[in-house]
């Protein structure tokens, strides 16, 4: 893999074309930006502007039609599915709107799950999971199952899980979308604290109040970056 950029994320003229019958949909029509390590960026834009397509590419869930994507300096734009899934496991942390916890697992087991897939020693991963539960304020809930937790607590578990592999960046997709506004603010405070401790965060949201917590905002329109706020 080529290595050039030292940003957490560096995308250059990224394009993604979907073939719909005889028509090409240019979901991303040439997007370039870089998120430095330690950055906290919100990706915004109206429905259909290309946010999900961009998120899928940044999350190594899809490959661009053309353009380059450097993840922590490694060009991942042409990797096959196996190598992409390897990148996700080793370098990324995902936070979803619907938390995506496994209902049959405890809090501790949910947090440790990425470490299980990474082949960690069970005692070591349990120790790390407890440490991360403490970091998100859930040290007294280790044996609980997701259904025994509030929505805000479930999202805290998901945030702890996203940190387990010490990822290059956290990718959050509408992280407060299923929460009331007070709980959403608490989750944003937690993300802000993590960012202040040095964690790089990229978050997709359509809510300006939520995006205001990020240090930078990138506005998409018609598959292009319309403008950025907070400097480039
Ligand atoms: P957003 O997340 O901002 O709503 P999307 O990335 O979902 O935007 O979509 C961008 C454009 O690409 C839209 O015009 C959408 O209809 C189109 N699109 C998204 N996914 C597909 C797909 N799998 N096949 C065809 N067109 C798609």
């Amino acid at each position: 893999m080529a290595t050039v950029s030292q940003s957490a994320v560096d995308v250059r003229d990224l394009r993604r074309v979907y073939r719909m019958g005889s028509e090409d949909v240019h979901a991303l029509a040439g997007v370039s930006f870089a998120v430095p390590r330690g950055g906290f960026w919100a990706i915004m834009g109206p429905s259909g502007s290309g946010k999900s397509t961009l998120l899928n590419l940044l999350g190594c869930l899809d490959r661009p039609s053309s353009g380059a994507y450097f993840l922590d300096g490694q060009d991942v734009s042409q990797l096959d599915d196996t190598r992409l899934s390897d990148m996700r496991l080793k370098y990324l942390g995902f936070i979803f709107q619907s938390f995506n916890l496994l209902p049959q697992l405890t809090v501790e087991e949910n947090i440790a799950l990425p470490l299980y897939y990474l082949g960690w020693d069970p005692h070591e991963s349990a120790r790390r999971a407890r440490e991360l539960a403490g970091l998100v304020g859930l040290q007294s809930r280790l044996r609980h199952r997701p259904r025994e937790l509030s929505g805000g607590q479930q999202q805290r578990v998901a945030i702890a899980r996203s940190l387990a592999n010490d990822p290059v960046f956290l990718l959050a997709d509408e992280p407060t979308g299923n929460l009331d506004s007070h709980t959403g603010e608490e989750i944003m405070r937690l993300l802000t604290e993590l960012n202040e401790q040095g964690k790089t965060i990229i978050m997709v949201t359509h809510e300006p109040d939520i995006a205001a917590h990020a240090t930078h905002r990138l506005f998409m329109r018609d598959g292009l970056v319309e403008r950025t706020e907070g400097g480039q």
Side-chain angles (χ1 to χ4, degrees):
M1 279 187 276
T3 53
V4 288
S5 162
Q6 282 314 298
S7 302
V9 161
D10 188 342
V11 298
R12 301 186 185 173
D13 200 24
L14 211 57
R15 292 166 191 266
R16 181 66 169 92
V17 183
Y18 295 112
R19 189 90 191 151
M20 287 289 285
S22 58
E23 212 186 307
D24 284 343
V25 179
H26 294 264
L28 289 185
V31 166
S32 303
F33 63 93
V35 178
R37 288 183 190 162
F40 186 0
W41 283 48
I43 297 172
M44 306 194 68
S47 179
S49 60
K51 302 183 297 297
S52 305
T53 302
L54 179 58
L55 186 101
N56 287 342
L57 292 175
L58 295 180
C60 293
L61 295 156
D62 187 23
R63 266 178 301 274
S65 307
S66 65
Y69 169 20
F70 295 93
L71 197 176
D72 202 29
Q74 303 178 64
D75 186 0
V76 298
S77 50
Q78 302 305 324
L79 297 185
D80 63 23
D81 290 350
T82 310
R83 310 256 329 258
L84 278 182
S85 110
D86 205 41
M87 294 304 290
R88 290 198 296 276
L89 196 54
K90 287 188 182 150
Y91 298 110
L92 302 182
F94 290 93
I95 302 166
F96 305 95
Q97 178 171 354
S98 50
F99 323 133
N100 290 15
L101 301 176
L102 290 189
Q104 69 276 29
L105 299 187
T106 64
V107 164
E108 183 180 307
E109 290 163 346
N110 265 288
I111 298 173
L113 198 59
L115 304 177
Y116 169 80
Y117 288 118
L118 283 167
W120 276 42
D121 166 77
H123 292 293
E124 193 50 31
S125 46
R127 194 198 55 73
R128 171 120 178 105
R130 287 194 293 273
E131 178 187 303
L132 289 166
L135 186 72
V136 300
L138 289 176
Q139 57 276 30
S140 61
R141 297 286 186 276
L142 294 173
R143 301 277 166 259
H144 286 59
R145 316 258 164 199
R147 67 171 179 281
E148 297 158 351
L149 301 174
S150 69
Q153 288 172 328
Q154 290 187 52
Q155 193 60 304
R156 285 174 186 273
V157 176
I159 291 171
R161 177 186 58 188
S162 78
L163 293 165
N165 60 350
D166 192 21
V168 172
F169 65 91
L170 300 182
L171 194 55
D173 187 6
E174 302 278 6
T176 63
N178 275 7
L179 303 172
D180 64 68
S181 58
H182 174 72
T183 311
E185 281 297 313
E186 282 178 6
I187 290 297
M188 291 316 300
R189 271 205 295 281
L190 174 60
L191 290 178
T192 301
E193 277 170 30
L194 292 171
N195 175 246
E196 284 165 0
Q197 290 162 20
K199 198 44 83 183
T200 309
I201 303 175
I202 301 175
M203 167 178 77
V204 169
T205 181
H206 65 273
E207 294 180 61
D209 290 357
I210 295 302
H213 290 270
T215 57
H216 290 71
R217 280 155 292 284
L218 181 148
F219 294 87
M220 302 279 304
R221 185 173 288 277
D222 300 332
L224 293 166
V225 177
E226 184 183 42
R227 65 192 166 90
T228 55
E229 260 179 29
Q232 171 59 280

